Amino acid sequence: MAITEEQLRTSEDQYKYGFHDPEDYVFKSKKGLSADVVEEISYMKGEPDWMRQFRLKSLRHFDKRPMPQWGGGGLLNEIDFDNIHYYVKPSDRAEKDWDDVPDYIKNTFDKLGIPEAEKKFLAGVGAQYESEVIYHNLQKDLEAKGVIFLDTDTALKQYPELFKEHFGTIIPPNDNKFAALNSAVWSGGSFIYVPEGVHIDLPLQAYFRINAENMGQFERTLIIVDKGAYVHYVEGCTAPTWSTDSLHSAVVEIIVKEGGRCRYTTIQNWSKNVYNLVTKRAAAYKDATMEWVDGNLGSKLTMKYPAIYLMEPGAKGEVLSVAFAGHGQHQDAGGKIVHVAPHTTSTITSKSISKDDGRSSYRGLLKVHPEAEHSKSNVRCDALLLHENSRTDTYPYIEIENDRVDIGHEATVSKVGEEQLFYLMSRGVSEADAYSMIVTGFIEPIAKELPMEYAVELNRLIQLEMEGSVG
Amino acid sequence: MEKSLIIRDLHVNVEDKEILKGLNLELEKGKVHAIMGPNGSGKSTLSYALAGHPSYEVTGGEVIFEGQNILDLGADERAQLGLFLAFQYPMSIPGVSMANFLRTAVNSVRKARGEGEMRVPEFRKLLNEKMASLKMDRSFAGRYLNEGFSGGEKKRAEILQMAMLQPKVAIMDETDSGLDIDALRIVSDGVNALKNPEMSVLVITHYQRILNYLKPDYVHVLVDGRIITSGGPELALELESKGYDWVRQEFAVPA
């Protein structure tokens, strides 16, 4: 069934990706979470026993842990875990050719512009629909160099040893309640291995799409960047606008070995009924560099603090975070850096925008271990409030256990001023465009770090959010 | 003579205090008008009220521009009709480059007039020409709007905006304040180069100095919220030598 332009336009809050497809699935687990559901997922995937055990153990962690009472402003308590489908399998396998992807899914990704982007500026693409990756492809020359870019389920089958060696080592299942949930019911996600010295010039991209109502998406991503290698991985995500809430709870683990570099860019644009509760963590070894670029626009509640553990001397970590909280949204975002080794450096730059009654929070942790002398860190968080009822909070946790370090921290809150608006409007710019311009300028320091296509996308999404922002 | 802007009995309050108390003024097309006045006479209030600042409350009168009373229009709509205010203190907008800002402004005005969007190459060419005429380095286009600009750079940037938007009425609010003599000359040369039979310029100033460069056709004296006298360029010189007390007495301003 084709979605008309008209339907796209009238979707709530101008959210362009609010359409949904009729369901025609191979398998959909019944609602609710239990050991049976976990067993069923593992059975359907034909997993080795260790993974089945891992899942069941994780479920026990999930059941045991209390719901966190921080960060979500009480919203977390509203999640009805019994009303969620934990596993939905739309098709039997991940295709390597778009032509083989079922038509209705292909249409969705066409609308999202994925195949087109692949042709233009990507080295490889993965596309996940509900619980499973339905398309995966990597440029042939990279395959020949030994680069692995697969959906995580396939990687478990094809590279069992490499997989088992790293899986769950950065984020153990008992790390937090939602990491435990993901570990129990994970499905899909990307597995990337970049061999020593291989430099992947174009980004690899994965696109995550939730379609069904009351759906839980729990992808699991594992990236291993070997010595001196480089990869830029980009993920995007959208979902239809349903009247009830969906849950997205991913786990992303990254290992950057000596002299390697990994950049991980997210443009999260979930519809405004999705809980987005994600655990992302990277370990950077000697002289390695890890960069998180995190753009959070959509969702009802996002709680996400990409973390970097600087494990060996010379390791560098950078977190760039942009959050946009519009009407009814709460973005609790930030970053977490742990200096484990001496001579490590880090920066966190956070920019948040709150519009209408939207609420954004910066929540960050900077921790310097006693051994991490001569480490340097700089944290900067800026908040921009657009309206009188907009809200922002800053929670910067700093734990320094060594005196011989260089730490900077700066936080600002500003309001869009009448004088700035008047100045722009006196040049013929409409009030809405003036707001947009001020917001675009505010995030410019982060947008300029993105490849052009993504910077354009980020600005476009923010402009969409800004439409109708003026009374 | 054809009028470009007519102000009739304009009353404006700022924070509930009446600042303009029945101001009358007519601008002639293609002419340079100067308004001189002492501190607190209402000079800046006049420029903000004309440009449509929301904090300046108009309590009476009308301003006719392009065949309509513009007092009910927003600042953006007034600008789209061809009104321009060169600010005494331009705001800085971090992260927004001069070029992007100007392109948005130019295209907003064009769109309102039913004209098509100016394409990037055409825009760049125009921008480069205008910057060259104002002796502005090309790197200016990439700098964030007024962010870290010196006083002189800000004023030149205002004139650049004026050059790009080609208004029908340009109001210059104490453009001379804070400028050294070289900057004043560059800015004035820029305005003079823009003068054309379709554009009126309203120079609002405390001092006569800028009028040596921007030769006015008419000089009006603003005291206590009203224009109390008008004349030719010689009035400015007289005012400069005799001071505002002289004009107050001469024209018997009621208390």
Side-chain angles (χ1 to χ4, degrees):
Chain A
M1 189 189 79
I3 308 292
T4 64
E5 281 290 312
E6 184 68 12
Q7 282 167 313
L8 282 174
R9 247 201 304 280
T10 54
S11 63
E12 193 187 293
D13 288 345
Q14 319 237 358
Y15 180 70
K16 194 178 154 190
Y17 309 112
F19 61 89
H20 67 272
D21 304 324
E23 294 178 20
D24 181 17
Y25 296 146
V26 176
F27 176 81
K28 185 173 182 178
S29 73
K30 62 181 190 297
K31 281 182 182 174
L33 183 60
S34 64
D36 285 350
V37 168
V38 170
E39 292 264 15
E40 193 171 34
I41 293 171
S42 190
Y43 173 77
M44 293 216 43
K45 290 177 176 293
E47 287 175 347
D49 193 56
W50 75 265
M51 184 55 79
R52 191 178 68 91
Q53 299 292 350
F54 176 90
R55 288 178 182 276
L56 290 167
K57 187 178 74 185
S58 303
L59 179 65
R60 290 194 291 275
H61 285 307
F62 172 74
D63 286 338
K64 259 190 284 178
R65 288 188 82 108
M67 183 62 75
Q69 292 307 306
W70 51 272
L75 280 174
L76 288 178
N77 300 327
E78 292 173 17
I79 302 174
D80 183 359
F81 289 97
D82 294 330
N83 194 35
I84 290 171
H85 295 283
Y86 286 85
Y87 180 60
V88 178
K89 185 176 183 180
S91 98
D92 275 325
R93 58 203 175 99
E95 304 293 351
K96 286 195 85 171
D97 189 329
W98 272 111
D99 292 340
D100 297 330
V101 173
D103 279 344
Y104 70 99
I105 298 178
K106 203 160 55 187
N107 286 341
T108 293
F109 284 103
D110 273 339
K111 274 182 221 153
L112 301 171
I114 308 307
E116 200 188 336
E118 180 182 5
K119 272 177 244 154
K120 280 191 200 155
F121 58 87
L122 297 169
V125 165
Q128 178 159 346
Y129 192 87
E130 315 292 26
S131 301
E132 295 288 353
V133 174
I134 48 86
Y135 170 77
H136 231 280
N137 193 31
L138 177 68
Q139 283 179 357
K140 291 278 171 287
D141 60 318
L142 292 171
E143 241 174 55
K145 284 179 186 163
V147 175
I148 301 168
F149 180 44
L150 288 170
D151 68 274
T152 308
D153 294 280
T154 304
L156 172 59
K157 293 194 176 76
Q158 291 188 8
Y159 300 93
E161 281 160 27
L162 185 65
F163 191 99
K164 201 176 173 186
E165 186 189 337
H166 297 98
F167 183 85
T169 59
I170 305 298
I171 302 172
N174 60 354
D175 189 81
N176 66 71
K177 190 167 179 76
F178 289 93
L181 176 63
N182 175 283
S183 299
V185 296
W186 73 268
S187 181
S190 300
F191 179 92
I192 297 170
Y193 172 73
V194 191
E196 190 169 338
V198 173
H199 202 277
I200 305 179
D201 295 320
L202 294 171
L204 299 177
Q205 179 170 313
Y207 201 92
F208 298 92
R209 173 75 180 173
I210 295 178
N211 180 60
E213 194 169 9
N214 300 316
M215 163 71 196
Q217 191 175 59
F218 305 97
E219 87 271 9
R220 181 99 193 184
T221 289
L222 176 56
I223 299 174
I224 304 152
V225 180
D226 216 326
K227 290 179 183 173
Y230 169 74
V231 67
H232 182 188
Y233 176 81
V234 183
E235 62 172 5
C237 28
T238 59
T241 306
W242 292 107
S243 55
T244 54
D245 298 331
S246 293
L247 173 60
H248 173 253
S249 187
V251 164
V252 177
E253 298 177 283
I254 297 178
I255 295 146
V256 194
K257 296 190 177 170
E258 185 176 337
R261 180 172 163 215
C262 178
R263 172 172 273 217
Y264 191 112
T265 298
T266 304
I267 308 285
Q268 178 267 105
N269 186 28
W270 294 112
S271 56
K272 283 161 194 166
N273 54 343
V274 174
Y275 283 90
N276 183 43
L277 309 165
V278 174
T279 310
K280 291 181 162 170
R281 191 175 301 160
Y285 292 90
K286 190 171 187 299
D287 299 325
T289 301
M290 176 66 212
E291 298 154 312
W292 296 105
V293 182
D294 206 36
N296 296 301
L297 287 113
S299 83
K300 176 179 186 173
L301 168 66
T302 285
M303 289 173 71
K304 187 172 7 143
Y305 325 99
I308 304 169
Y309 281 65
L310 301 165
M311 305 298 291
E312 290 178 354
K316 280 197 194 86
E318 181 166 14
V319 178
L320 296 172
S321 171
V322 180
F324 188 105
H327 170 58
Q329 288 183 284
H330 186 167
Q331 304 282 7
D332 200 84
K336 191 169 150 182
I337 304 261
V338 181
H339 291 260
V340 179
H343 300 284
T344 48
T345 53
S346 67
T347 57
I348 297 178
T349 309
S350 160
K351 297 254 177 191
S352 72
I353 299 139
S354 309
K355 183 191 142 203
D356 299 319
D357 62 353
R359 179 175 173 187
S360 66
S361 317
Y362 166 78
R363 190 180 300 276
L365 171 69
L366 174 66
K367 189 177 167 79
V368 180
H369 280 216
E371 302 78 25
E373 56 186 15
H374 305 301
S375 289
K376 270 190 209 163
S377 180
N378 192 47
V379 177
R380 180 179 178 96
C381 39
D382 299 321
L384 183 67
L385 301 174
L386 300 189
H387 297 106
E388 283 302 317
N389 55 341
S390 310
R391 176 170 171 184
T392 185
D393 303 281
T394 305
Y395 307 97
Y397 299 95
I398 298 182
E399 298 171 20
I400 313 290
E401 294 173 353
N402 188 309
D403 293 338
R404 301 169 73 186
V405 291
D406 179 1
I407 306 291
H409 183 271
E410 203 177 337
T412 67
V413 176
S414 47
K415 288 183 180 174
V416 171
E418 190 179 53
E419 299 305 322
Q420 282 183 321
L421 284 174
F422 173 63
Y423 183 62
L424 295 176
M425 288 174 71
S426 77
R427 302 309 184 231
V429 177
S430 71
E431 188 173 3
D433 286 350
Y435 265 109
S436 256
M437 206 179 252
I438 291 168
V439 170
T440 309
F442 175 72
I443 59 157
E444 214 271 342
I446 290 184
K448 75 178 181 203
E449 290 295 314
L450 297 172
M452 214 237 314
E453 292 80 2
Y454 299 99
V456 168
E457 176 71 359
L458 182 66
N459 282 332
R460 198 182 62 81
L461 290 173
I462 283 180
Q463 260 153 28
L464 268 175
E465 295 290 331
M466 293 300 297
E467 275 175 24
S469 70
V470 182
Chain B
M1 281 299 278
E2 203 181 339
K3 308 293 181 208
S4 57
L5 186 99
I6 301 167
I7 305 170
R8 285 195 195 109
D9 195 29
L10 184 63
H11 291 258
V12 177
N13 282 9
V14 181
E15 291 169 353
D16 292 330
K17 187 170 182 261
E18 187 167 60
I19 305 294
L20 296 187
K21 304 168 180 174
L23 186 143
N24 292 289
L25 182 68
E26 297 190 348
L27 301 187
E28 278 179 20
K29 214 171 185 179
K31 300 293 183 190
V32 176
H33 292 250
I35 289 187
M36 297 185 71
N39 290 330
S41 59
K43 296 194 300 291
S44 283
T45 300
L46 175 62
S47 50
Y48 278 120
L50 289 176
H53 193 296
S55 298
Y56 291 73
E57 189 199 352
V58 176
T59 56
E62 59 182 9
V63 175
I64 307 297
F65 177 54
E66 293 293 295
Q68 57 179 306
N69 183 0
I70 58 169
L71 289 175
D72 292 330
L73 301 180
D76 50 339
E77 295 165 306
R78 299 183 196 196
Q80 289 158 7
L81 284 177
L83 191 73
F84 182 88
L85 169 63
F87 281 61
Q88 184 178 2
Y89 304 108
M91 299 300 297
S92 64
I93 313 286
V96 176
S97 74
M98 194 78 192
N100 275 341
F101 162 65
L102 278 171
R103 210 162 80 83
T104 305
V106 165
N107 282 328
S108 297
V109 169
R110 288 175 70 107
K111 193 175 151 198
R113 292 177 186 165
E115 297 164 14
E117 203 165 274
M118 190 183 279
R119 296 194 169 280
V120 176
E122 192 190 342
F123 172 80
R124 283 206 180 284
K125 190 166 164 273
L126 184 67
L127 181 59
N128 286 337
E129 278 171 21
K130 300 291 183 191
M131 286 200 302
S133 71
L134 284 164
K135 300 186 171 54
M136 295 170 91
D137 191 85
R138 282 201 181 191
S139 65
F140 233 83
R143 287 174 68 186
Y144 296 154
L145 185 54
N146 293 323
E147 178 93 333
F149 284 21
S150 70
E153 286 174 332
K154 281 185 185 168
K155 297 294 163 73
R156 262 188 278 174
E158 292 293 290
I159 306 308
L160 175 64
Q161 293 174 36
M162 180 173 147
M164 293 299 289
L165 291 170
Q166 300 177 339
K168 297 194 180 83
V169 168
I171 305 161
M172 320 209 50
D173 184 13
E174 308 212 22
T175 296
D176 46 342
S177 72
L179 287 190
D180 63 31
I181 201 77
D182 293 331
L184 184 61
R185 186 175 290 125
I186 291 170
V187 165
S188 304
D189 287 349
V191 177
N192 284 329
L194 293 175
K195 276 205 283 191
N196 68 71
E198 294 302 311
M199 182 176 77
S200 309
V201 180
L202 180 61
V203 186
I204 296 177
T205 181
H206 188 100
Y207 300 105
Q208 196 271 336
R209 193 177 66 154
I210 191 173
L211 303 180
N212 291 335
Y213 302 95
L214 291 180
K215 305 240 181 283
D217 299 291
Y218 302 99
V219 174
H220 313 272
V221 182
L222 175 63
V223 175
D224 195 27
R226 293 186 191 92
I227 300 291
I228 56 165
T229 185
S230 299
E234 70 290 345
L235 180 58
L237 296 167
E238 198 168 3
L239 205 54
E240 184 80 356
S241 60
K242 296 181 177 170
Y244 286 107
D245 284 340
W246 162 76
V247 85
R248 272 199 188 91
Q249 286 163 8
E250 190 79 1
F251 299 94
V253 182

